[in-house]
Amino acid sequence: MNIQILPNWCKKVGVLMFITFAIFSGIDDAIDGCNGLPYNSDNGSDLFSSYFGNNAKHLFNILSIVGMIVYIMSKEKIEDDYINILRLESYQLTTLIFLFAGLIIYIISENILLTVDYYIELFLIIYLVVFFIKKRIY
């Protein structure tokens, strides 16, 4: 699996993007929760809508996912065949974990309603955790 990978300094950019935009996308929901409003309420505060438009939370979710992808696509300090094998094994294990978890969730409740960003973020987070564990074990 030989794909173009970003330089190592992009890891810092990816983490910064992810943390910044994840916080921005969660602020409106946190304010609504403190005010006792239900999730995705139309009567909510929409703190960033006046500055960034009506789709601010959606844009921030997309940018936080892009930050995670930039982090994942960045090279390690020492990039060799061993790291490539770990990436591939982590991806395979993450896919299996995600498919089994999806099957279990579907068995428990077939009417679950989640947007695509939940699945993408969960997949990327599981991949990062699996890669981190595999890198520390071997």
Side-chain angles (χ1 to χ4, degrees):
M1 186 167 112
N2 191 3
I3 58 174
Q4 188 68 25
I5 298 179
L6 301 171
N8 183 265
W9 60 267
C10 288
K11 280 190 174 295
K12 295 174 186 165
V13 172
V15 166
L16 184 66
M17 275 181 67
F18 169 69
I19 291 172
T20 303
F21 291 114
I23 289 171
F24 283 164
S25 67
I27 285 177
D28 283 338
D29 293 330
I31 291 171
D32 291 345
C34 290
N35 293 333
L37 296 172
Y39 179 70
N40 280 340
S41 165
D42 290 335
N43 300 330
S45 61
D46 292 334
L47 179 67
F48 294 108
S49 294
S50 60
Y51 296 110
F52 299 108
N54 291 334
N55 295 327
K57 283 197 288 189
H58 181 70
L59 176 66
F60 291 151
N61 282 334
I62 291 171
L63 291 174
S64 69
I65 291 171
V66 168
M68 288 172 107
I69 292 172
V70 166
Y71 180 82
I72 289 172
M73 295 296 296
S74 299
K75 288 183 179 180
E76 297 293 320
K77 287 184 181 178
I78 300 172
E79 189 74 27
D80 56 2
D81 290 336
Y82 175 69
I83 293 294
N84 287 334
I85 290 170
L86 281 181
R87 285 182 198 271
L88 181 61
E89 289 176 358
S90 299
Y91 180 74
Q92 290 172 338
L93 186 59
T94 301
T95 303
L96 289 174
I97 289 170
F98 201 74
L99 288 173
F100 284 127
L103 181 64
I104 290 170
I105 290 171
Y106 184 69
I107 288 171
I108 293 170
S109 173
E110 64 184 51
N111 295 328
I112 193 164
L113 299 174
L114 297 173
T115 57
V116 175
D117 63 331
Y118 290 110
Y119 296 109
I120 294 171
E121 287 178 0
L122 183 62
F123 185 84
L124 293 174
I125 289 170
I126 291 173
Y127 172 79
L128 288 173
V129 169
V130 168
F131 183 71
F132 176 78
I133 291 171
K134 288 182 92 42
K135 196 164 108 174
R136 297 294 178 238
I137 289 175
Y138 295 114

